[in-house]
PDB file of all heavy atoms in Angstrom:
ATOM      1  N   GLY A   1      17.372 -34.582  -8.793  1.00 98.00           N
ATOM      2  CA  GLY A   1      17.886 -35.464  -7.734  1.00 98.00           C
ATOM      3  C   GLY A   1      17.985 -34.741  -6.399  1.00 98.00           C
ATOM      4  O   GLY A   1      17.657 -35.308  -5.348  1.00 98.00           O
ATOM      5  N   ALA A   2      18.414 -33.492  -6.431  1.00 98.00           N
ATOM      6  CA  ALA A   2      18.507 -32.714  -5.198  1.00 98.00           C
ATOM      7  C   ALA A   2      17.124 -32.448  -4.623  1.00 98.00           C
ATOM      8  O   ALA A   2      16.906 -32.561  -3.407  1.00 98.00           O
ATOM      9  CB  ALA A   2      19.234 -31.392  -5.459  1.00 98.00           C
ATOM     10  N   SER A   3      16.173 -32.137  -5.484  1.00 98.00           N
ATOM     11  CA  SER A   3      14.804 -31.900  -5.030  1.00 98.00           C
ATOM     12  C   SER A   3      14.215 -33.150  -4.380  1.00 98.00           C
ATOM     13  O   SER A   3      13.587 -33.079  -3.323  1.00 98.00           O
ATOM     14  CB  SER A   3      13.942 -31.450  -6.219  1.00 98.00           C
ATOM     15  OG  SER A   3      12.598 -31.316  -5.829  1.00 98.00           O
ATOM     16  N   THR A   4      14.447 -34.281  -5.002  1.00 98.00           N
ATOM     17  CA  THR A   4      13.943 -35.545  -4.449  1.00 98.00           C
ATOM     18  C   THR A   4      14.584 -35.835  -3.098  1.00 98.00           C
ATOM     19  O   THR A   4      13.901 -36.236  -2.150  1.00 98.00           O
ATOM     20  CB  THR A   4      14.208 -36.706  -5.426  1.00 98.00           C
ATOM     21  OG1 THR A   4      13.482 -36.448  -6.630  1.00 98.00           O
ATOM     22  CG2 THR A   4      13.782 -38.042  -4.846  1.00 98.00           C
ATOM     23  N   ALA A   5      15.901 -35.638  -3.002  1.00 98.00           N
ATOM     24  CA  ALA A   5      16.605 -35.888  -1.739  1.00 98.00           C
ATOM     25  C   ALA A   5      16.066 -34.988  -0.635  1.00 98.00           C
ATOM     26  O   ALA A   5      15.862 -35.433   0.504  1.00 98.00           O
ATOM     27  CB  ALA A   5      18.106 -35.686  -1.925  1.00 98.00           C
ATOM     28  N   TRP A   6      15.800 -33.728  -0.965  1.00 98.00           N
ATOM     29  CA  TRP A   6      15.244 -32.811   0.034  1.00 98.00           C
ATOM     30  C   TRP A   6      13.834 -33.229   0.435  1.00 98.00           C
ATOM     31  O   TRP A   6      13.505 -33.309   1.609  1.00 98.00           O
ATOM     32  CB  TRP A   6      15.229 -31.381  -0.535  1.00 98.00           C
ATOM     33  CG  TRP A   6      14.464 -30.442   0.341  1.00 98.00           C
ATOM     34  CD1 TRP A   6      14.873 -29.894   1.512  1.00 98.00           C
ATOM     35  CD2 TRP A   6      13.123 -29.998   0.128  1.00 98.00           C
ATOM     36  NE1 TRP A   6      13.873 -29.109   2.034  1.00 98.00           N
ATOM     37  CE2 TRP A   6      12.786 -29.161   1.201  1.00 98.00           C
ATOM     38  CE3 TRP A   6      12.172 -30.223  -0.880  1.00 98.00           C
ATOM     39  CZ2 TRP A   6      11.547 -28.551   1.304  1.00 98.00           C
ATOM     40  CZ3 TRP A   6      10.946 -29.602  -0.776  1.00 98.00           C
ATOM     41  CH2 TRP A   6      10.639 -28.781   0.303  1.00 98.00           C
ATOM     42  N   ARG A   7      13.007 -33.508  -0.586  1.00 98.00           N
ATOM     43  CA  ARG A   7      11.606 -33.853  -0.328  1.00 98.00           C
ATOM     44  C   ARG A   7      11.481 -35.102   0.530  1.00 98.00           C
ATOM     45  O   ARG A   7      10.626 -35.181   1.412  1.00 98.00           O
ATOM     46  CB  ARG A   7      10.889 -34.061  -1.666  1.00 98.00           C
ATOM     47  CG  ARG A   7       9.398 -34.255  -1.573  1.00 98.00           C
ATOM     48  CD  ARG A   7       8.725 -34.265  -2.942  1.00 98.00           C
ATOM     49  NE  ARG A   7       9.456 -34.911  -4.018  1.00 98.00           N
ATOM     50  CZ  ARG A   7       9.462 -36.222  -4.254  1.00 98.00           C
ATOM     51  NH1 ARG A   7       8.787 -37.032  -3.473  1.00 98.00           N
ATOM     52  NH2 ARG A   7      10.138 -36.726  -5.269  1.00 98.00           N
ATOM     53  N   LYS A   8      12.357 -36.070   0.286  1.00 98.00           N
ATOM     54  CA  LYS A   8      12.295 -37.337   1.023  1.00 98.00           C
ATOM     55  C   LYS A   8      13.143 -37.326   2.291  1.00 98.00           C
ATOM     56  O   LYS A   8      13.178 -38.322   3.008  1.00 98.00           O
ATOM     57  CB  LYS A   8      12.735 -38.479   0.118  1.00 98.00           C
ATOM     58  CG  LYS A   8      11.770 -38.739  -1.018  1.00 98.00           C
ATOM     59  CD  LYS A   8      12.195 -39.938  -1.836  1.00 98.00           C
ATOM     60  CE  LYS A   8      11.144 -40.261  -2.897  1.00 98.00           C
ATOM     61  NZ  LYS A   8      11.521 -41.468  -3.660  1.00 98.00           N
ATOM     62  N   GLY A   9      13.821 -36.216   2.549  1.00 98.00           N
ATOM     63  CA  GLY A   9      14.659 -36.135   3.744  1.00 98.00           C
ATOM     64  C   GLY A   9      15.843 -37.095   3.698  1.00 98.00           C
ATOM     65  O   GLY A   9      16.241 -37.614   4.739  1.00 98.00           O
ATOM     66  N   LEU A  10      16.376 -37.321   2.519  1.00 98.00           N
ATOM     67  CA  LEU A  10      17.478 -38.271   2.377  1.00 98.00           C
ATOM     68  C   LEU A  10      18.792 -37.674   2.894  1.00 98.00           C
ATOM     69  O   LEU A  10      19.002 -36.462   2.821  1.00 98.00           O
ATOM     70  CB  LEU A  10      17.634 -38.677   0.907  1.00 98.00           C
ATOM     71  CG  LEU A  10      16.411 -39.353   0.281  1.00 98.00           C
ATOM     72  CD1 LEU A  10      16.657 -39.628  -1.202  1.00 98.00           C
ATOM     73  CD2 LEU A  10      16.071 -40.633   1.023  1.00 98.00           C
ATOM     74  N   PRO A  11      19.669 -38.521   3.392  1.00 98.00           N
ATOM     75  CA  PRO A  11      20.928 -38.022   3.961  1.00 98.00           C
ATOM     76  C   PRO A  11      21.910 -37.485   2.919  1.00 98.00           C
ATOM     77  O   PRO A  11      22.873 -36.813   3.282  1.00 98.00           O
ATOM     78  CB  PRO A  11      21.507 -39.256   4.663  1.00 98.00           C
ATOM     79  CG  PRO A  11      20.904 -40.420   3.966  1.00 98.00           C
ATOM     80  CD  PRO A  11      19.530 -39.970   3.540  1.00 98.00           C
ATOM     81  N   ASP A  12      21.676 -37.768   1.639  1.00 98.00           N
ATOM     82  CA  ASP A  12      22.615 -37.311   0.607  1.00 98.00           C
ATOM     83  C   ASP A  12      22.196 -35.996  -0.049  1.00 98.00           C
ATOM     84  O   ASP A  12      22.706 -35.653  -1.117  1.00 98.00           O
ATOM     85  CB  ASP A  12      22.825 -38.396  -0.448  1.00 98.00           C
ATOM     86  CG  ASP A  12      21.566 -38.713  -1.237  1.00 98.00           C
ATOM     87  OD1 ASP A  12      20.454 -38.391  -0.756  1.00 98.00           O
ATOM     88  OD2 ASP A  12      21.689 -39.284  -2.332  1.00 98.00           O
ATOM     89  N   PHE A  13      21.329 -35.239   0.604  1.00 98.00           N
ATOM     90  CA  PHE A  13      20.892 -33.962   0.046  1.00 98.00           C
ATOM     91  C   PHE A  13      22.077 -33.040  -0.240  1.00 98.00           C
ATOM     92  O   PHE A  13      22.170 -32.436  -1.313  1.00 98.00           O
ATOM     93  CB  PHE A  13      19.884 -33.287   0.982  1.00 98.00           C
ATOM     94  CG  PHE A  13      19.455 -31.924   0.547  1.00 98.00           C
ATOM     95  CD1 PHE A  13      18.889 -31.712  -0.701  1.00 98.00           C
ATOM     96  CD2 PHE A  13      19.618 -30.836   1.386  1.00 98.00           C
ATOM     97  CE1 PHE A  13      18.484 -30.448  -1.111  1.00 98.00           C
ATOM     98  CE2 PHE A  13      19.218 -29.566   0.981  1.00 98.00           C
ATOM     99  CZ  PHE A  13      18.661 -29.373  -0.260  1.00 98.00           C
ATOM    100  N   GLY A  14      23.010 -32.934   0.697  1.00 98.00           N
ATOM    101  CA  GLY A  14      24.186 -32.088   0.500  1.00 98.00           C
ATOM    102  C   GLY A  14      25.006 -32.537  -0.694  1.00 98.00           C
ATOM    103  O   GLY A  14      25.497 -31.713  -1.478  1.00 98.00           O
ATOM    104  N   GLU A  15      25.155 -33.828  -0.861  1.00 98.00           N
ATOM    105  CA  GLU A  15      25.884 -34.368  -1.997  1.00 98.00           C
ATOM    106  C   GLU A  15      25.181 -34.028  -3.310  1.00 98.00           C
ATOM    107  O   GLU A  15      25.825 -33.708  -4.311  1.00 98.00           O
ATOM    108  CB  GLU A  15      26.031 -35.882  -1.850  1.00 98.00           C
ATOM    109  CG  GLU A  15      26.844 -36.539  -2.925  1.00 98.00           C
ATOM    110  CD  GLU A  15      27.045 -38.026  -2.677  1.00 98.00           C
ATOM    111  OE1 GLU A  15      27.119 -38.439  -1.509  1.00 98.00           O
ATOM    112  OE2 GLU A  15      27.119 -38.755  -3.683  1.00 98.00           O
ATOM    113  N   GLU A  16      23.869 -34.094  -3.302  1.00 98.00           N
ATOM    114  CA  GLU A  16      23.102 -33.744  -4.494  1.00 98.00           C
ATOM    115  C   GLU A  16      23.271 -32.268  -4.840  1.00 98.00           C
ATOM    116  O   GLU A  16      23.397 -31.898  -6.006  1.00 98.00           O
ATOM    117  CB  GLU A  16      21.633 -34.102  -4.314  1.00 98.00           C
ATOM    118  CG  GLU A  16      21.354 -35.590  -4.191  1.00 98.00           C
ATOM    119  CD  GLU A  16      21.666 -36.369  -5.469  1.00 98.00           C
ATOM    120  OE1 GLU A  16      21.736 -35.764  -6.562  1.00 98.00           O
ATOM    121  OE2 GLU A  16      21.839 -37.593  -5.367  1.00 98.00           O
ATOM    122  N   LEU A  17      23.275 -31.412  -3.822  1.00 98.00           N
ATOM    123  CA  LEU A  17      23.523 -29.992  -4.071  1.00 98.00           C
ATOM    124  C   LEU A  17      24.924 -29.774  -4.631  1.00 98.00           C
ATOM    125  O   LEU A  17      25.124 -28.927  -5.509  1.00 98.00           O
ATOM    126  CB  LEU A  17      23.349 -29.178  -2.786  1.00 98.00           C
ATOM    127  CG  LEU A  17      21.924 -28.946  -2.307  1.00 98.00           C
ATOM    128  CD1 LEU A  17      21.933 -28.161  -1.002  1.00 98.00           C
ATOM    129  CD2 LEU A  17      21.094 -28.222  -3.355  1.00 98.00           C
ATOM    130  N   ALA A  18      25.889 -30.543  -4.133  1.00 98.00           N
ATOM    131  CA  ALA A  18      27.257 -30.448  -4.657  1.00 98.00           C
ATOM    132  C   ALA A  18      27.286 -30.817  -6.134  1.00 98.00           C
ATOM    133  O   ALA A  18      27.982 -30.163  -6.932  1.00 98.00           O
ATOM    134  CB  ALA A  18      28.195 -31.342  -3.857  1.00 98.00           C
ATOM    135  N   ASP A  19      26.530 -31.840  -6.525  1.00 97.00           N
ATOM    136  CA  ASP A  19      26.452 -32.215  -7.940  1.00 97.00           C
ATOM    137  C   ASP A  19      25.927 -31.056  -8.778  1.00 97.00           C
ATOM    138  O   ASP A  19      26.449 -30.773  -9.865  1.00 97.00           O
ATOM    139  CB  ASP A  19      25.551 -33.434  -8.137  1.00 97.00           C
ATOM    140  CG  ASP A  19      26.192 -34.730  -7.701  1.00 97.00           C
ATOM    141  OD1 ASP A  19      27.440 -34.796  -7.623  1.00 97.00           O
ATOM    142  OD2 ASP A  19      25.444 -35.700  -7.442  1.00 97.00           O
ATOM    143  N   VAL A  20      24.905 -30.367  -8.288  1.00 98.00           N
ATOM    144  CA  VAL A  20      24.349 -29.219  -9.004  1.00 98.00           C
ATOM    145  C   VAL A  20      25.434 -28.152  -9.179  1.00 98.00           C
ATOM    146  O   VAL A  20      25.624 -27.624 -10.282  1.00 98.00           O
ATOM    147  CB  VAL A  20      23.122 -28.648  -8.259  1.00 98.00           C
ATOM    148  CG1 VAL A  20      22.684 -27.315  -8.854  1.00 98.00           C
ATOM    149  CG2 VAL A  20      21.968 -29.659  -8.280  1.00 98.00           C
ATOM    150  N   ALA A  21      26.144 -27.853  -8.115  1.00 97.00           N
ATOM    151  CA  ALA A  21      27.195 -26.839  -8.180  1.00 97.00           C
ATOM    152  C   ALA A  21      28.292 -27.244  -9.171  1.00 97.00           C
ATOM    153  O   ALA A  21      28.803 -26.399  -9.920  1.00 97.00           O
ATOM    154  CB  ALA A  21      27.796 -26.605  -6.794  1.00 97.00           C
ATOM    155  N   ILE A  22      28.633 -28.510  -9.210  1.00 96.00           N
ATOM    156  CA  ILE A  22      29.657 -28.996 -10.134  1.00 96.00           C
ATOM    157  C   ILE A  22      29.221 -28.792 -11.576  1.00 96.00           C
ATOM    158  O   ILE A  22      30.006 -28.343 -12.422  1.00 96.00           O
ATOM    159  CB  ILE A  22      30.002 -30.469  -9.832  1.00 96.00           C
ATOM    160  CG1 ILE A  22      30.786 -30.550  -8.516  1.00 96.00           C
ATOM    161  CG2 ILE A  22      30.779 -31.098 -10.970  1.00 96.00           C
ATOM    162  CD1 ILE A  22      30.900 -31.949  -7.950  1.00 96.00           C
ATOM    163  N   TYR A  23      27.969 -29.102 -11.876  1.00 97.00           N
ATOM    164  CA  TYR A  23      27.478 -28.906 -13.246  1.00 97.00           C
ATOM    165  C   TYR A  23      27.406 -27.435 -13.616  1.00 97.00           C
ATOM    166  O   TYR A  23      27.734 -27.055 -14.745  1.00 97.00           O
ATOM    167  CB  TYR A  23      26.127 -29.592 -13.453  1.00 97.00           C
ATOM    168  CG  TYR A  23      26.287 -31.051 -13.794  1.00 97.00           C
ATOM    169  CD1 TYR A  23      26.248 -32.025 -12.815  1.00 97.00           C
ATOM    170  CD2 TYR A  23      26.520 -31.457 -15.104  1.00 97.00           C
ATOM    171  CE1 TYR A  23      26.430 -33.363 -13.127  1.00 97.00           C
ATOM    172  CE2 TYR A  23      26.704 -32.795 -15.429  1.00 97.00           C
ATOM    173  CZ  TYR A  23      26.652 -33.746 -14.429  1.00 97.00           C
ATOM    174  OH  TYR A  23      26.847 -35.063 -14.738  1.00 97.00           O
ATOM    175  N   VAL A  24      27.009 -26.579 -12.696  1.00 97.00           N
ATOM    176  CA  VAL A  24      26.972 -25.138 -12.974  1.00 97.00           C
ATOM    177  C   VAL A  24      28.389 -24.633 -13.234  1.00 97.00           C
ATOM    178  O   VAL A  24      28.626 -23.858 -14.169  1.00 97.00           O
ATOM    179  CB  VAL A  24      26.297 -24.371 -11.816  1.00 97.00           C
ATOM    180  CG1 VAL A  24      26.506 -22.872 -11.957  1.00 97.00           C
ATOM    181  CG2 VAL A  24      24.818 -24.701 -11.756  1.00 97.00           C
ATOM    182  N   THR A  25      29.333 -25.089 -12.424  1.00 96.00           N
ATOM    183  CA  THR A  25      30.725 -24.706 -12.606  1.00 96.00           C
ATOM    184  C   THR A  25      31.238 -25.156 -13.967  1.00 96.00           C
ATOM    185  O   THR A  25      31.960 -24.415 -14.657  1.00 96.00           O
ATOM    186  CB  THR A  25      31.589 -25.296 -11.476  1.00 96.00           C
ATOM    187  OG1 THR A  25      31.090 -24.819 -10.224  1.00 96.00           O
ATOM    188  CG2 THR A  25      33.032 -24.899 -11.606  1.00 96.00           C
ATOM    189  N   ALA A  26      30.881 -26.372 -14.370  1.00 95.00           N
ATOM    190  CA  ALA A  26      31.307 -26.884 -15.676  1.00 95.00           C
ATOM    191  C   ALA A  26      30.728 -26.045 -16.811  1.00 95.00           C
ATOM    192  O   ALA A  26      31.439 -25.744 -17.783  1.00 95.00           O
ATOM    193  CB  ALA A  26      30.894 -28.345 -15.837  1.00 95.00           C
ATOM    194  N   LEU A  27      29.470 -25.650 -16.696  1.00 96.00           N
ATOM    195  CA  LEU A  27      28.868 -24.798 -17.722  1.00 96.00           C
ATOM    196  C   LEU A  27      29.614 -23.470 -17.836  1.00 96.00           C
ATOM    197  O   LEU A  27      29.877 -22.989 -18.943  1.00 96.00           O
ATOM    198  CB  LEU A  27      27.397 -24.541 -17.408  1.00 96.00           C
ATOM    199  CG  LEU A  27      26.438 -25.620 -17.867  1.00 96.00           C
ATOM    200  CD1 LEU A  27      25.089 -25.450 -17.200  1.00 96.00           C
ATOM    201  CD2 LEU A  27      26.299 -25.577 -19.385  1.00 96.00           C
ATOM    202  N   ALA A  28      29.959 -22.888 -16.704  1.00 97.00           N
ATOM    203  CA  ALA A  28      30.704 -21.633 -16.734  1.00 97.00           C
ATOM    204  C   ALA A  28      32.052 -21.839 -17.415  1.00 97.00           C
ATOM    205  O   ALA A  28      32.463 -21.020 -18.254  1.00 97.00           O
ATOM    206  CB  ALA A  28      30.901 -21.102 -15.313  1.00 97.00           C
ATOM    207  N   GLU A  29      32.733 -22.927 -17.105  1.00 96.00           N
ATOM    208  CA  GLU A  29      34.024 -23.221 -17.724  1.00 96.00           C
ATOM    209  C   GLU A  29      33.875 -23.414 -19.228  1.00 96.00           C
ATOM    210  O   GLU A  29      34.665 -22.891 -20.011  1.00 96.00           O
ATOM    211  CB  GLU A  29      34.629 -24.480 -17.082  1.00 96.00           C
ATOM    212  CG  GLU A  29      36.000 -24.822 -17.579  1.00 96.00           C
ATOM    213  CD  GLU A  29      37.091 -23.879 -17.092  1.00 96.00           C
ATOM    214  OE1 GLU A  29      36.917 -23.242 -16.039  1.00 96.00           O
ATOM    215  OE2 GLU A  29      38.118 -23.781 -17.781  1.00 96.00           O
TER     216      GLU A  29
END
């Protein structure tokens, strides 16, 4: 989703990156 948002220049790219960080954080937990 983050890759698609970046590729398409979508305004929610930052939000998509936040989702990635949240999942990585959850895996660590």
